[in-house]
Structures are given as structure tokens and as C-alpha cells.
mmCIF file of all heavy atoms in Angstrom:
data_model
loop_
_atom_site.group_PDB
_atom_site.id
_atom_site.type_symbol
_atom_site.label_atom_id
_atom_site.label_comp_id
_atom_site.label_asym_id
_atom_site.label_seq_id
_atom_site.Cartn_x
_atom_site.Cartn_y
_atom_site.Cartn_z
ATOM 1 N N ARG A 256 22.969 97.391 16.805
ATOM 2 C CA ARG A 256 22.539 98.774 16.967
ATOM 3 C C ARG A 256 21.134 98.821 17.674
ATOM 4 O O ARG A 256 20.361 97.856 17.633
ATOM 5 C CB ARG A 256 22.522 99.546 15.664
ATOM 6 C CG ARG A 256 21.476 99.021 14.662
ATOM 7 C CD ARG A 256 21.601 99.644 13.269
ATOM 8 N NE ARG A 256 20.691 99.221 12.321
ATOM 9 C CZ ARG A 256 20.656 99.560 11.087
ATOM 10 N NH1 ARG A 256 21.654 100.356 10.570
ATOM 11 N NH2 ARG A 256 19.739 99.182 10.216
ATOM 12 N N GLN A 257 20.864 99.906 18.344
ATOM 13 C CA GLN A 257 19.607 100.147 18.936
ATOM 14 C C GLN A 257 19.217 101.605 18.793
ATOM 15 O O GLN A 257 19.821 102.529 19.197
ATOM 16 C CB GLN A 257 19.708 99.798 20.495
ATOM 17 C CG GLN A 257 18.364 99.866 21.205
ATOM 18 C CD GLN A 257 18.514 99.148 22.671
ATOM 19 O OE1 GLN A 257 19.553 99.123 23.112
ATOM 20 N NE2 GLN A 257 17.382 98.765 23.104
ATOM 21 N N ALA A 258 18.028 101.782 18.234
ATOM 22 C CA ALA A 258 17.412 103.114 18.075
ATOM 23 C C ALA A 258 16.502 103.315 19.185
ATOM 24 O O ALA A 258 15.924 102.323 19.757
ATOM 25 C CB ALA A 258 16.683 103.158 16.633
ATOM 26 N N PRO A 259 16.155 104.627 19.417
ATOM 27 C CA PRO A 259 15.222 104.857 20.511
ATOM 28 C C PRO A 259 13.814 104.145 20.373
ATOM 29 O O PRO A 259 13.300 104.248 19.240
ATOM 30 C CB PRO A 259 15.046 106.329 20.428
ATOM 31 C CG PRO A 259 16.380 106.870 19.879
ATOM 32 C CD PRO A 259 16.671 105.781 18.854
ATOM 33 N N GLY A 260 13.319 103.494 21.396
ATOM 34 C CA GLY A 260 11.969 102.868 21.300
ATOM 35 C C GLY A 260 12.009 101.547 20.563
ATOM 36 O O GLY A 260 11.032 100.889 20.391
ATOM 37 N N ARG A 261 13.292 101.054 20.125
ATOM 38 C CA ARG A 261 13.327 99.835 19.439
ATOM 39 C C ARG A 261 14.257 98.894 20.164
ATOM 40 O O ARG A 261 15.122 99.276 21.017
ATOM 41 C CB ARG A 261 13.840 100.001 17.942
ATOM 42 C CG ARG A 261 12.912 100.935 17.174
ATOM 43 C CD ARG A 261 13.414 100.987 15.748
ATOM 44 N NE ARG A 261 13.458 99.777 15.067
ATOM 45 C CZ ARG A 261 13.925 99.547 13.868
ATOM 46 N NH1 ARG A 261 14.358 100.413 13.128
ATOM 47 N NH2 ARG A 261 13.917 98.367 13.317
ATOM 48 N N GLU A 262 14.158 97.562 19.862
ATOM 49 C CA GLU A 262 14.995 96.547 20.392
ATOM 50 C C GLU A 262 16.376 96.604 19.699
ATOM 51 O O GLU A 262 16.501 96.970 18.566
ATOM 52 C CB GLU A 262 14.456 95.165 20.305
ATOM 53 C CG GLU A 262 13.106 94.946 21.030
ATOM 54 C CD GLU A 262 12.639 93.599 20.939
ATOM 55 O OE1 GLU A 262 13.150 92.883 20.124
ATOM 56 O OE2 GLU A 262 11.785 93.229 21.743
ATOM 57 N N ARG A 263 17.390 96.148 20.430
ATOM 58 C CA ARG A 263 18.738 96.099 19.946
ATOM 59 C C ARG A 263 18.728 94.994 18.653
ATOM 60 O O ARG A 263 18.101 93.976 18.856
ATOM 61 C CB ARG A 263 19.749 95.657 20.880
ATOM 62 C CG ARG A 263 21.191 95.717 20.414
ATOM 63 C CD ARG A 263 22.114 95.573 21.666
ATOM 64 N NE ARG A 263 21.844 96.670 22.587
ATOM 65 C CZ ARG A 263 22.687 96.822 23.693
ATOM 66 N NH1 ARG A 263 23.756 96.074 23.774
ATOM 67 N NH2 ARG A 263 22.375 97.760 24.626
ATOM 68 N N GLU A 264 19.308 95.360 17.564
ATOM 69 C CA GLU A 264 19.246 94.508 16.397
ATOM 70 C C GLU A 264 20.597 94.241 15.886
ATOM 71 O O GLU A 264 21.522 95.028 15.947
ATOM 72 C CB GLU A 264 18.310 95.119 15.314
ATOM 73 C CG GLU A 264 18.922 96.420 14.669
ATOM 74 C CD GLU A 264 18.039 96.909 13.598
ATOM 75 O OE1 GLU A 264 16.991 96.255 13.287
ATOM 76 O OE2 GLU A 264 18.358 97.894 12.960
ATOM 77 N N PHE A 265 20.811 93.165 15.294
ATOM 78 C CA PHE A 265 21.979 92.681 14.688
ATOM 79 C C PHE A 265 22.231 93.466 13.405
ATOM 80 O O PHE A 265 21.515 93.840 12.655
ATOM 81 C CB PHE A 265 21.865 91.206 14.222
ATOM 82 C CG PHE A 265 22.928 90.612 13.277
ATOM 83 C CD1 PHE A 265 24.168 90.318 13.773
ATOM 84 C CD2 PHE A 265 22.567 90.413 11.981
ATOM 85 C CE1 PHE A 265 25.166 89.855 12.949
ATOM 86 C CE2 PHE A 265 23.657 90.005 11.124
ATOM 87 C CZ PHE A 265 24.864 89.786 11.649
ATOM 88 N N VAL A 266 23.642 93.784 13.260
ATOM 89 C CA VAL A 266 24.108 94.528 12.045
ATOM 90 C C VAL A 266 25.098 93.725 11.289
ATOM 91 O O VAL A 266 24.806 93.417 10.122
ATOM 92 C CB VAL A 266 24.782 95.816 12.536
ATOM 93 C CG1 VAL A 266 25.420 96.497 11.252
ATOM 94 C CG2 VAL A 266 23.735 96.810 13.149
ATOM 95 N N ALA A 267 26.137 93.284 11.947
ATOM 96 C CA ALA A 267 27.104 92.443 11.215
ATOM 97 C C ALA A 267 28.028 91.656 12.214
ATOM 98 O O ALA A 267 28.197 92.022 13.310
ATOM 99 C CB ALA A 267 28.034 93.323 10.412
ATOM 100 N N THR A 268 28.598 90.572 11.732
ATOM 101 C CA THR A 268 29.517 89.765 12.545
ATOM 102 C C THR A 268 30.722 89.303 11.692
ATOM 103 O O THR A 268 30.507 88.909 10.538
ATOM 104 C CB THR A 268 28.761 88.557 13.191
ATOM 105 O OG1 THR A 268 28.003 89.116 14.230
ATOM 106 C CG2 THR A 268 29.933 87.678 13.837
ATOM 107 N N ILE A 269 31.885 89.209 12.230
ATOM 108 C CA ILE A 269 32.971 88.582 11.609
ATOM 109 C C ILE A 269 33.425 87.491 12.528
ATOM 110 O O ILE A 269 33.680 87.684 13.663
ATOM 111 C CB ILE A 269 34.183 89.516 11.230
ATOM 112 C CG1 ILE A 269 35.226 88.923 10.439
ATOM 113 C CG2 ILE A 269 34.604 90.357 12.481
ATOM 114 C CD1 ILE A 269 36.162 89.905 9.732
ATOM 115 N N THR A 270 33.711 86.301 12.012
ATOM 116 C CA THR A 270 34.000 85.181 12.889
ATOM 117 C C THR A 270 35.471 85.069 13.183
ATOM 118 O O THR A 270 36.289 85.874 12.687
ATOM 119 C CB THR A 270 33.651 83.851 12.217
ATOM 120 O OG1 THR A 270 34.388 83.667 11.054
ATOM 121 C CG2 THR A 270 32.168 83.791 11.836
ATOM 122 N N ARG A 271 35.832 84.360 14.321
ATOM 123 C CA ARG A 271 37.219 84.403 14.791
ATOM 124 C C ARG A 271 38.212 83.721 14.087
ATOM 125 O O ARG A 271 39.312 84.089 14.112
ATOM 126 C CB ARG A 271 37.116 83.834 16.299
ATOM 127 C CG ARG A 271 36.657 82.382 16.276
ATOM 128 C CD ARG A 271 36.612 81.892 17.739
ATOM 129 N NE ARG A 271 36.112 80.578 17.742
ATOM 130 C CZ ARG A 271 35.900 79.790 18.931
ATOM 131 N NH1 ARG A 271 36.105 80.484 20.063
ATOM 132 N NH2 ARG A 271 35.497 78.498 18.837
ATOM 133 N N ILE A 272 37.926 82.630 13.362
ATOM 134 C CA ILE A 272 38.945 81.844 12.683
ATOM 135 C C ILE A 272 38.902 82.041 11.154
ATOM 136 O O ILE A 272 39.872 82.486 10.588
ATOM 137 C CB ILE A 272 38.769 80.364 13.078
ATOM 138 C CG1 ILE A 272 38.915 80.093 14.585
ATOM 139 C CG2 ILE A 272 39.809 79.493 12.223
ATOM 140 C CD1 ILE A 272 38.605 78.653 14.964
ATOM 141 N N THR A 273 37.761 81.678 10.537
ATOM 142 C CA THR A 273 37.699 81.907 9.116
ATOM 143 C C THR A 273 37.461 83.278 8.628
ATOM 144 O O THR A 273 37.540 83.620 7.431
ATOM 145 C CB THR A 273 36.456 81.074 8.539
ATOM 146 O OG1 THR A 273 35.304 81.523 9.155
ATOM 147 C CG2 THR A 273 36.659 79.594 9.038
ATOM 148 N N ARG A 274 37.105 84.232 9.587
ATOM 149 C CA ARG A 274 36.737 85.549 9.315
ATOM 150 C C ARG A 274 35.603 85.669 8.306
ATOM 151 O O ARG A 274 35.621 86.577 7.531
ATOM 152 C CB ARG A 274 37.998 86.278 8.910
ATOM 153 C CG ARG A 274 39.051 86.316 9.870
ATOM 154 C CD ARG A 274 40.249 87.112 9.494
ATOM 155 N NE ARG A 274 41.381 87.007 10.490
ATOM 156 C CZ ARG A 274 42.501 87.686 10.536
ATOM 157 N NH1 ARG A 274 42.670 88.571 9.563
ATOM 158 N NH2 ARG A 274 43.408 87.431 11.361
ATOM 159 N N SER A 275 34.676 84.741 8.327
ATOM 160 C CA SER A 275 33.481 84.821 7.513
ATOM 161 C C SER A 275 32.728 86.013 8.040
ATOM 162 O O SER A 275 32.621 86.376 9.253
ATOM 163 C CB SER A 275 32.648 83.577 7.700
ATOM 164 O OG SER A 275 33.374 82.419 7.228
ATOM 165 N N THR A 276 32.016 86.700 7.184
ATOM 166 C CA THR A 276 31.183 87.824 7.552
ATOM 167 C C THR A 276 29.695 87.613 7.267
ATOM 168 O O THR A 276 29.298 86.892 6.401
ATOM 169 C CB THR A 276 31.647 89.094 6.708
ATOM 170 O OG1 THR A 276 31.535 88.760 5.318
ATOM 171 C CG2 THR A 276 33.031 89.381 7.150
ATOM 172 N N TYR A 277 28.888 88.176 8.134
ATOM 173 C CA TYR A 277 27.436 88.030 8.040
ATOM 174 C C TYR A 277 26.857 89.458 8.309
ATOM 175 O O TYR A 277 27.353 90.248 9.099
ATOM 176 C CB TYR A 277 26.965 87.124 9.168
ATOM 177 C CG TYR A 277 27.586 85.729 9.049
ATOM 178 C CD1 TYR A 277 28.875 85.449 9.694
ATOM 179 C CD2 TYR A 277 26.822 84.655 8.486
ATOM 180 C CE1 TYR A 277 29.327 84.164 9.582
ATOM 181 C CE2 TYR A 277 27.392 83.406 8.380
ATOM 182 C CZ TYR A 277 28.659 83.201 8.945
ATOM 183 O OH TYR A 277 29.194 81.933 8.837
ATOM 184 N N TYR A 278 25.793 89.715 7.540
ATOM 185 C CA TYR A 278 25.218 91.066 7.593
ATOM 186 C C TYR A 278 23.720 90.935 7.601
ATOM 187 O O TYR A 278 23.070 90.120 7.055
ATOM 188 C CB TYR A 278 25.633 91.862 6.359
ATOM 189 C CG TYR A 278 27.086 92.230 6.115
ATOM 190 C CD1 TYR A 278 27.870 91.288 5.382
ATOM 191 C CD2 TYR A 278 27.651 93.282 6.754
ATOM 192 C CE1 TYR A 278 29.324 91.534 5.316
ATOM 193 C CE2 TYR A 278 28.895 93.518 6.687
ATOM 194 C CZ TYR A 278 29.739 92.639 5.851
ATOM 195 O OH TYR A 278 31.142 92.846 5.738
ATOM 196 N N ALA A 279 23.127 91.970 8.375
ATOM 197 C CA ALA A 279 21.706 92.099 8.264
ATOM 198 C C ALA A 279 21.345 92.550 6.864
ATOM 199 O O ALA A 279 22.079 93.318 6.230
ATOM 200 C CB ALA A 279 21.178 93.148 9.256
ATOM 201 N N ASP A 280 20.130 92.089 6.422
ATOM 202 C CA ASP A 280 19.704 92.421 5.122
ATOM 203 C C ASP A 280 19.655 94.042 4.823
ATOM 204 O O ASP A 280 19.895 94.524 3.753
ATOM 205 C CB ASP A 280 18.306 91.873 4.824
ATOM 206 C CG ASP A 280 18.326 90.402 4.568
ATOM 207 O OD1 ASP A 280 19.518 89.812 4.347
ATOM 208 O OD2 ASP A 280 17.320 89.761 4.639
ATOM 209 N N SER A 281 19.339 94.657 5.903
ATOM 210 C CA SER A 281 19.255 96.129 5.760
ATOM 211 C C SER A 281 20.567 96.879 5.517
ATOM 212 O O SER A 281 20.463 98.029 5.082
ATOM 213 C CB SER A 281 18.636 96.717 7.077
ATOM 214 O OG SER A 281 19.384 96.436 8.222
ATOM 215 N N VAL A 282 21.598 96.226 5.715
ATOM 216 C CA VAL A 282 22.970 96.858 5.526
ATOM 217 C C VAL A 282 23.832 96.190 4.500
ATOM 218 O O VAL A 282 24.888 96.757 4.195
ATOM 219 C CB VAL A 282 23.730 96.990 6.934
ATOM 220 C CG1 VAL A 282 22.875 97.728 7.930
ATOM 221 C CG2 VAL A 282 24.202 95.546 7.359
ATOM 222 N N LYS A 283 23.361 95.156 3.900
ATOM 223 C CA LYS A 283 24.176 94.447 2.886
ATOM 224 C C LYS A 283 24.431 95.331 1.736
ATOM 225 O O LYS A 283 23.520 95.997 1.234
ATOM 226 C CB LYS A 283 23.425 93.234 2.452
ATOM 227 C CG LYS A 283 23.560 92.007 3.465
ATOM 228 C CD LYS A 283 22.728 90.816 2.830
ATOM 229 C CE LYS A 283 22.839 89.648 3.851
ATOM 230 N NZ LYS A 283 22.045 88.445 3.325
ATOM 231 N N GLY A 284 25.783 95.373 1.203
ATOM 232 C CA GLY A 284 26.057 96.228 0.205
ATOM 233 C C GLY A 284 26.493 97.591 0.599
ATOM 234 O O GLY A 284 27.053 98.288 -0.229
ATOM 235 N N ARG A 285 26.148 98.062 1.848
ATOM 236 C CA ARG A 285 26.543 99.302 2.297
ATOM 237 C C ARG A 285 27.535 99.288 3.406
ATOM 238 O O ARG A 285 28.385 100.102 3.423
ATOM 239 C CB ARG A 285 25.274 100.027 2.821
ATOM 240 C CG ARG A 285 24.213 100.237 1.677
ATOM 241 C CD ARG A 285 23.140 101.158 2.159
ATOM 242 N NE ARG A 285 22.457 100.546 3.371
ATOM 243 C CZ ARG A 285 22.337 101.092 4.601
ATOM 244 N NH1 ARG A 285 22.906 102.338 4.723
ATOM 245 N NH2 ARG A 285 21.640 100.625 5.530
ATOM 246 N N PHE A 286 27.432 98.323 4.297
ATOM 247 C CA PHE A 286 28.390 98.161 5.413
ATOM 248 C C PHE A 286 29.332 97.046 5.220
ATOM 249 O O PHE A 286 29.064 96.025 4.678
ATOM 250 C CB PHE A 286 27.597 97.933 6.689
ATOM 251 C CG PHE A 286 26.761 99.074 7.198
ATOM 252 C CD1 PHE A 286 26.425 100.167 6.484
ATOM 253 C CD2 PHE A 286 26.124 98.895 8.496
ATOM 254 C CE1 PHE A 286 25.725 101.162 6.961
ATOM 255 C CE2 PHE A 286 25.303 99.902 8.937
ATOM 256 C CZ PHE A 286 25.074 101.150 8.176
ATOM 257 N N THR A 287 30.610 97.263 5.675
ATOM 258 C CA THR A 287 31.589 96.175 5.689
ATOM 259 C C THR A 287 32.196 96.030 7.170
ATOM 260 O O THR A 287 32.735 97.077 7.585
ATOM 261 C CB THR A 287 32.710 96.590 4.656
ATOM 262 O OG1 THR A 287 32.088 96.617 3.348
ATOM 263 C CG2 THR A 287 33.598 95.439 4.659
ATOM 264 N N ILE A 288 32.195 94.770 7.566
ATOM 265 C CA ILE A 288 32.901 94.544 8.835
ATOM 266 C C ILE A 288 34.220 93.966 8.606
ATOM 267 O O ILE A 288 34.448 93.186 7.604
ATOM 268 C CB ILE A 288 32.081 93.672 9.753
ATOM 269 C CG1 ILE A 288 32.630 93.460 11.123
ATOM 270 C CG2 ILE A 288 31.815 92.299 9.204
ATOM 271 C CD1 ILE A 288 31.718 92.813 12.222
ATOM 272 N N SER A 289 35.312 94.322 9.353
ATOM 273 C CA SER A 289 36.550 93.794 9.223
ATOM 274 C C SER A 289 37.336 93.733 10.562
ATOM 275 O O SER A 289 36.806 94.332 11.550
ATOM 276 C CB SER A 289 37.446 94.623 8.287
ATOM 277 O OG SER A 289 37.538 95.996 8.685
ATOM 278 N N ARG A 290 38.426 93.090 10.677
ATOM 279 C CA ARG A 290 39.162 93.100 11.965
ATOM 280 C C ARG A 290 40.667 93.117 11.709
ATOM 281 O O ARG A 290 41.138 92.567 10.711
ATOM 282 C CB ARG A 290 38.743 91.838 12.737
ATOM 283 C CG ARG A 290 39.090 90.531 12.139
ATOM 284 C CD ARG A 290 38.424 89.358 12.952
ATOM 285 N NE ARG A 290 38.887 89.227 14.248
ATOM 286 C CZ ARG A 290 38.103 88.568 15.248
ATOM 287 N NH1 ARG A 290 37.030 88.013 14.911
ATOM 288 N NH2 ARG A 290 38.567 88.467 16.451
ATOM 289 N N ASP A 291 41.352 93.682 12.593
ATOM 290 C CA ASP A 291 42.742 93.698 12.586
ATOM 291 C C ASP A 291 43.265 93.115 13.964
ATOM 292 O O ASP A 291 43.181 93.749 14.909
ATOM 293 C CB ASP A 291 43.235 95.161 12.382
ATOM 294 C CG ASP A 291 44.779 95.289 12.259
ATOM 295 O OD1 ASP A 291 45.469 94.330 12.697
ATOM 296 O OD2 ASP A 291 45.259 96.286 11.780
ATOM 297 N N ASN A 292 43.624 91.896 13.801
ATOM 298 C CA ASN A 292 44.066 91.136 15.049
ATOM 299 C C ASN A 292 45.315 91.664 15.682
ATOM 300 O O ASN A 292 45.471 91.564 16.877
ATOM 301 C CB ASN A 292 44.152 89.708 14.882
ATOM 302 C CG ASN A 292 42.872 88.892 14.472
ATOM 303 O OD1 ASN A 292 41.739 89.489 14.725
ATOM 304 N ND2 ASN A 292 42.943 87.703 14.170
ATOM 305 N N ALA A 293 46.221 92.208 14.935
ATOM 306 C CA ALA A 293 47.363 92.862 15.396
ATOM 307 C C ALA A 293 47.066 94.029 16.289
ATOM 308 O O ALA A 293 47.766 94.455 17.236
ATOM 309 C CB ALA A 293 48.292 93.312 14.374
ATOM 310 N N LYS A 294 45.970 94.776 15.953
ATOM 311 C CA LYS A 294 45.565 95.992 16.661
ATOM 312 C C LYS A 294 44.391 95.648 17.701
ATOM 313 O O LYS A 294 43.926 96.527 18.390
ATOM 314 C CB LYS A 294 45.238 97.090 15.801
ATOM 315 C CG LYS A 294 46.256 97.535 14.767
ATOM 316 C CD LYS A 294 45.745 98.692 13.952
ATOM 317 C CE LYS A 294 46.832 99.230 13.067
ATOM 318 N NZ LYS A 294 47.804 100.007 13.740
ATOM 319 N N ASN A 295 43.926 94.405 17.676
ATOM 320 C CA ASN A 295 42.815 94.079 18.523
ATOM 321 C C ASN A 295 41.549 94.967 18.351
ATOM 322 O O ASN A 295 41.042 95.425 19.324
ATOM 323 C CB ASN A 295 43.280 94.187 20.076
ATOM 324 C CG ASN A 295 44.200 92.988 20.534
ATOM 325 O OD1 ASN A 295 44.477 92.133 19.681
ATOM 326 N ND2 ASN A 295 44.611 93.112 21.736
ATOM 327 N N THR A 296 41.371 95.104 17.091
ATOM 328 C CA THR A 296 40.251 96.156 16.730
ATOM 329 C C THR A 296 39.349 95.540 15.639
ATOM 330 O O THR A 296 39.895 94.825 14.765
ATOM 331 C CB THR A 296 40.891 97.367 16.204
ATOM 332 O OG1 THR A 296 41.775 97.971 17.270
ATOM 333 C CG2 THR A 296 39.812 98.442 15.927
ATOM 334 N N VAL A 297 38.118 95.839 15.790
ATOM 335 C CA VAL A 297 37.169 95.423 14.674
ATOM 336 C C VAL A 297 36.534 96.759 14.232
ATOM 337 O O VAL A 297 36.471 97.647 14.958
ATOM 338 C CB VAL A 297 35.977 94.462 15.199
ATOM 339 C CG1 VAL A 297 35.285 95.145 16.308
ATOM 340 C CG2 VAL A 297 35.106 94.042 14.066
ATOM 341 N N PHE A 298 36.277 96.762 12.937
ATOM 342 C CA PHE A 298 35.813 98.027 12.292
ATOM 343 C C PHE A 298 34.434 97.740 11.585
ATOM 344 O O PHE A 298 34.112 96.639 11.251
ATOM 345 C CB PHE A 298 36.783 98.533 11.172
ATOM 346 C CG PHE A 298 38.141 98.675 11.641
ATOM 347 C CD1 PHE A 298 39.080 97.563 11.586
ATOM 348 C CD2 PHE A 298 38.535 99.856 12.286
ATOM 349 C CE1 PHE A 298 40.379 97.854 12.057
ATOM 350 C CE2 PHE A 298 39.840 100.076 12.684
ATOM 351 C CZ PHE A 298 40.847 99.062 12.604
ATOM 352 N N LEU A 299 33.693 98.852 11.459
ATOM 353 C CA LEU A 299 32.516 98.778 10.677
ATOM 354 C C LEU A 299 32.542 99.980 9.790
ATOM 355 O O LEU A 299 32.296 101.186 10.173
ATOM 356 C CB LEU A 299 31.262 98.775 11.484
ATOM 357 C CG LEU A 299 29.940 98.613 10.846
ATOM 358 C CD1 LEU A 299 29.834 97.231 10.259
ATOM 359 C CD2 LEU A 299 28.709 98.992 11.704
ATOM 360 N N GLN A 300 32.805 99.738 8.527
ATOM 361 C CA GLN A 300 32.756 100.764 7.505
ATOM 362 C C GLN A 300 31.282 100.920 7.000
ATOM 363 O O GLN A 300 30.769 100.016 6.508
ATOM 364 C CB GLN A 300 33.662 100.455 6.322
ATOM 365 C CG GLN A 300 33.696 101.528 5.188
ATOM 366 C CD GLN A 300 34.178 102.765 5.637
ATOM 367 O OE1 GLN A 300 35.237 102.927 6.324
ATOM 368 N NE2 GLN A 300 33.563 103.933 5.286
#
């Protein structure tokens, strides 16, 4: 994500094989990343 006047920053990632998830400290416990490979779609709740 990128806010006005700020650098782009990491929010979350889900890996390709193990589907491990990683989150920025600022969003842990609030945001959830997931993927649906059948739909070729990644989500951020």
C-alpha cells in the first residue's frame, strides 16, 4: 500500500507452494491474505 507522501510499504504475502502467510506488524490480527488458485485470485480481508 502507498499513502500520499509516503513510500510504498509491505502489507501481506501468501507464498506459492506452502501458502505461508506474512504480515506487516501494523496489520497483524486485522488483515488476512488468502488465495483461490481455481479462480486465479488473491484476497485481502
Side-chain angles (χ1 to χ4, degrees):
R256 66 188 182 186
Q257 187 168 22
R261 298 184 62 182
E262 295 183 345
R263 191 168 300 187
E264 66 177 0
F265 167 77
V266 176
T268 291
I269 184 165
T270 64
R271 61 184 179 179
I272 298 175
T273 65
R274 301 186 185 185
S275 299
T276 57
Y277 302 84
Y278 298 93
D280 288 342
S281 59
V282 306
K283 285 181 180 177
R285 299 189 298 122
F286 291 10
T287 302
I288 188 170
S289 61
R290 64 193 296 163
D291 185 340
N292 287 352
K294 296 181 180 291
N295 288 357
T296 303
V297 62
F298 305 95
L299 185 68
Q300 178 66 46

